[in-house]
Amino acid sequence: MARLTPRPVPTEMQTLKPLLRSCPTCGETLWAAYHNYRTIPTRAAVLGLTLQMCRCRNQACPHVHHPHRPEQEGRLALPKHAFGLDVIAFVGQQRYGHHRSVPEIHQALRERRVAVAPRTVTNLLERYDELVALSLQDTTRLHRITQVRGRIILALDGLQPDVGHEVLWVLRDCLSGEVLLARSLLSATHDDLAHLVQEVQQALPVPIVGVITDGQPSIRAAVAQALPGVPHQLCQFHYLREAAKPIYEADRHAKKILKKRVRGVRPLERQCAGRTDPEAEVVRGSCSAVRSALPDDGHPPLTASGLKLHDRLTAIADSLERVEKRGPCPRPSGA
C-alpha cells in the first residue's frame, strides 16, 4: 500500500564516519568512497544521517571495494529499518510492561509526535520480540548470570495478551530475577512445555534445584517429565489466593451490599445541578468521593476490596457527620 502522507522531514542532522581506519583483512588504509543518506525517526527527533562509506583499494585483498559503514549507525537503528531502536524499545515496553493494545501504542506514539502507521506498530512489536529472543539465546549471558549462585530455582508461567493469540511462555530464575527463555507457543501441551524446560536445562552450567509455577496440570506434567525428582512448589501468590478464596468470596459479597446502599448518588447530583451555593458544593464533592471509591477492586488476596470500600465510605460518612454538627453553611451576603 502506498504512503498517504509525506515522509517526516529531519529535525536534526548528524554525520557519522567509520571508526575503523585499516582494513581488517589486509591491514591497508581504508579510503572514503561515497556517502549514504538515511532518515531515522526517534522519540526525541527525526535524525537525518550522512554516512561516510569507506573501502579498501588493495586489489589483492579478498574484500576489495567492500563498503565499511559507520559503527555508530548500529546504535541508532537496525539495518534497513526506518525507526530507531528507542522507538522499538518503547513499543515493547508499552505492550508487555503496560499491557497496551496496538491502537493504544499507536496513539501514544502519535502523542509523542512520532509519525507511524498502525501496521508499522505491529511490525515494530515483532522486531522487539525477535531482539528479546535473540538476547535470551546468548549462552554466555546465561553462564555469567547463573554461575554466581551455582544453582537455579526455575519459575515458569504463560502470558496471553489477547484471547485466541499465541501464549508467551517465560522461564525465569527466581534467585537472580533474570529471564532465561521466552518463547511463544500455539499450544500448551506438557510435551511442548517439557521441551522448553529441557532446552533451558541443557543451556545452563548449573543444576535446577527447584521449580515454582501456578500448578496448571499441563505445567505439572511437563515439570515431572523434564525434571524428575526436582521439587515443584506452588507459587506463593497462587497459594495465598487459593487459601484466601473463602475470605475473598465473603468480602466480595459484602462489597455488593455496600454498593446497593450508595446507589442514590445520581439523584442527589441532579438536585444540585446548576447550584453554586456551599451546600451544593459539599454534596457534589461527597458524591464524587463515593463514585471514586466504587470501582477500586484492589488486588485480592493481598487487598480486600470490600474492606477498602467500607473504610472509604466510613471516612465519607464521618466527614458528612462533622459537617452536620457544625450547622448550616453561612450564605454569602446578598443571597
Side-chain angles (χ1 to χ4, degrees), residues 4 13 25 29 43 66 83 93 97-98 120 123 125 150 169 183 204 227 239 260 267 273 281 304-305 308 330:
L4 301 179
M13 305 300 296
T25 303
T29 303
R43 292 179 57 191
H66 176 75
F83 289 87
Q93 178 192 27
H98 301 283
T120 305
N123 296 335
L125 184 60
W169 290 95
R183 186 168 300 167
L204 295 177
L227 301 173
Y239 181 85
K260 291 181 180 179
E281 294 294 336
S305 58
K308 179 184 289 188

Side-chain angles (χ1 to χ4, degrees), residues 169 185 187-194 218-219 222:
W169 290 95
L185 298 177
S187 62
T189 62
H190 70 276
D191 290 331
D192 296 333
L193 299 180
S218 60
I219 297 179

Side-chain angles (χ1 to χ4, degrees), residues 77-114:
L78 294 174
K80 300 181 181 180
H81 280 68
F83 289 87
L85 291 173
D86 59 340
V87 177
I88 298 178
F90 177 80
V91 170
Q93 178 192 27
Q94 294 295 311
R95 178 62 167 176
Y96 299 112
H98 301 283
H99 307 288
R100 293 186 176 181
S101 62
V102 171
E104 291 174 338
I105 299 174
H106 175 255
Q107 181 62 28
L109 289 172
R110 297 291 297 179
E111 293 175 354
R112 289 162 175 79
R113 300 182 179 180
V114 178

Side-chain angles (χ1 to χ4, degrees), residues 63-291:
H63 293 88
V64 61
H65 301 313
H66 176 75
H68 294 270
R69 306 179 68 90
E71 295 83 356
Q72 295 179 350
E73 182 187 7
R75 301 180 59 183
L76 299 175
L78 294 174
K80 300 181 181 180
H81 280 68
F83 289 87
L85 291 173
D86 59 340
V87 177
I88 298 178
F90 177 80
V91 170
Q93 178 192 27
Q94 294 295 311
R95 178 62 167 176
Y96 299 112
H98 301 283
H99 307 288
R100 293 186 176 181
S101 62
V102 171
E104 291 174 338
I105 299 174
H106 175 255
Q107 181 62 28
L109 289 172
R110 297 291 297 179
E111 293 175 354
R112 289 162 175 79
R113 300 182 179 180
V114 178
V116 61
R119 181 180 297 180
T120 305
V121 175
T122 303
N123 296 335
L124 294 177
L125 184 60
E126 293 176 354
R127 301 293 83 74
Y128 177 84
D129 294 338
E130 293 172 356
L131 291 175
V132 172
L134 183 62
S135 65
L136 294 177
Q137 293 176 357
D138 185 3
T139 56
T140 304
R141 166 184 169 272
L142 295 180
H143 290 188
R144 183 181 66 256
I145 293 172
T146 56
Q147 284 181 345
V148 176
R149 293 172 176 81
R151 65 188 188 281
I152 290 292
I153 297 180
L154 187 66
L156 172 62
D157 198 4
L159 173 65
Q160 189 174 21
D162 296 316
V163 178
H165 288 67
E166 295 180 346
V167 179
L168 176 63
W169 290 95
V170 179
L171 288 80
R172 184 174 58 89
D173 176 25
C174 296
L175 298 178
S176 63
E178 295 289 339
V179 176
L180 305 177
L181 179 66
R183 186 168 300 167
S184 297
L185 298 177
L186 288 173
S187 62
T189 62
H190 70 276
D191 290 331
D192 296 333
L193 299 180
H195 177 72
L196 293 181
V197 176
Q198 291 172 351
E199 183 177 346
V200 171
Q201 185 184 27
Q202 294 174 0
L204 295 177
V206 296
I208 299 177
V209 299
V211 181
I212 298 178
T213 68
D214 59 0
Q216 185 177 333
S218 60
I219 297 179
R220 292 183 180 181
V223 172
Q225 176 180 337
L227 301 173
V230 176
H232 185 185
Q233 175 182 322
L234 189 64
C235 172
Q236 288 88 345
F237 176 82
H238 292 86
Y239 181 85
L240 180 60
R241 186 181 64 181
E242 294 296 325
K245 268 189 176 181
I247 301 177
Y248 168 72
E249 295 297 334
D251 179 78
R252 188 176 64 171
H253 179 68
K255 185 175 182 179
K256 290 182 179 180
I257 297 177
L258 290 174
K259 283 185 175 181
K260 291 181 180 179
R261 296 183 179 180
V262 293
R263 286 181 177 175
V265 172
R266 184 55 181 164
L268 294 176
E269 291 178 331
R270 290 175 179 173
Q271 294 177 6
C272 299
R275 293 173 51 185
T276 59
D277 55 284
E279 291 87 348
E281 294 294 336
V282 171
V283 172
R284 277 195 290 267
S286 300
C287 292
S288 298
V290 172
R291 285 184 176 277

